[in-house]
Amino acid sequence: MKEKLSHNAQWLTVCALLMAINIAFSSFGLPVPGGHLYMNDVVIVAAALSLDPLGAFMVGGIGAFLGDFFFYPAPMFVSLATHGLQAVVIATIARRTRSKALAFGGVLLGAAIMITGYTLGRAYVYSTPEYSMIKLPYEILQAILGVCIGTFLAWKWDMPGMIRHMINKGK
């Protein structure tokens, strides 16, 4: 997906729809010891593989920020920075290569960014590194689920192609 996607009304609509899905997935989680496991990483990975870096940042960073803002505001800036960077890295690598193996490497790098960002961010927000270490296995599980399901959804149903078609329709 090397060609440039234009930022038109269709692009904005697709970004807004994926951002709304991210916010919805941020609103509920599967209960785990010490908190919840959220599935919004699935949306972030699929969107980042399908959009340009700006669109990916909007869906990943701003979508996660708004999800936290509405439902649990303490880590909202951690979510903005972490998921935003995660999405931009995935989108940048995926757009610069035609190899799915290299794009998958970008997804794995994005997962590492998410795990590291939330671990450090949680230690800062809650002023206790111990709490952050307790949540680390769940962050890793959340990242693995996002990598596996998000990549599957994006590539199985050619989400990048469908989005490219929707954005460029009418040109």
Side-chain angles (χ1 to χ4, degrees):
M1 191 165 118
K2 287 191 178 227
E3 70 276 358
K4 181 179 178 352
L5 295 176
S6 60
H7 295 171
N8 54 23
Q10 290 94 333
W11 174 86
L12 187 60
T13 303
V14 168
C15 290
L17 175 64
L18 291 170
M19 190 184 309
I21 295 169
N22 186 9
I23 293 168
F25 276 41
S26 297
S27 69
F28 62 91
L30 306 170
V32 296
H36 290 86
L37 181 69
Y38 295 96
M39 298 303 291
N40 64 327
D41 278 82
V42 172
V43 178
I44 293 167
V45 169
L49 287 169
S50 304
L51 294 168
D52 62 309
L54 177 60
F57 177 79
M58 288 172 52
V59 172
I62 297 172
F65 174 86
L66 290 173
D68 284 349
F69 176 77
F70 293 132
F71 303 106
Y72 189 67
M76 64 188 182
F77 290 105
V78 173
S79 294
L80 174 68
T82 300
H83 284 307
L85 182 59
Q86 172 193 15
V88 167
V89 166
I90 294 170
T92 301
I93 293 172
R95 290 178 65 78
R96 292 184 188 264
T97 183
R98 292 193 184 268
S99 164
K100 284 191 175 181
L102 290 175
F104 189 72
V107 172
L108 292 176
L109 180 58
I113 289 168
M114 192 280 287
I115 293 166
T116 304
Y118 268 100
T119 301
L120 295 174
R122 192 169 271 120
Y124 175 74
V125 169
Y126 298 108
S127 300
T128 170
E130 293 81 13
Y131 179 74
S132 142
M133 289 295 114
I134 290 170
K135 292 288 290 179
L136 183 59
Y138 302 110
E139 293 298 336
I140 294 169
L141 177 60
Q142 181 173 321
I144 290 170
L145 289 172
V147 165
C148 295
I149 299 170
T151 304
F152 175 79
L153 291 175
W155 289 345
K156 175 68 177 173
W157 291 303
D158 188 27
M159 206 169 139
M162 287 190 310
I163 288 176
R164 203 170 37 250
H165 175 74
M166 284 188 281
I167 292 171
N168 295 323
K169 194 173 184 174
K171 287 187 175 182

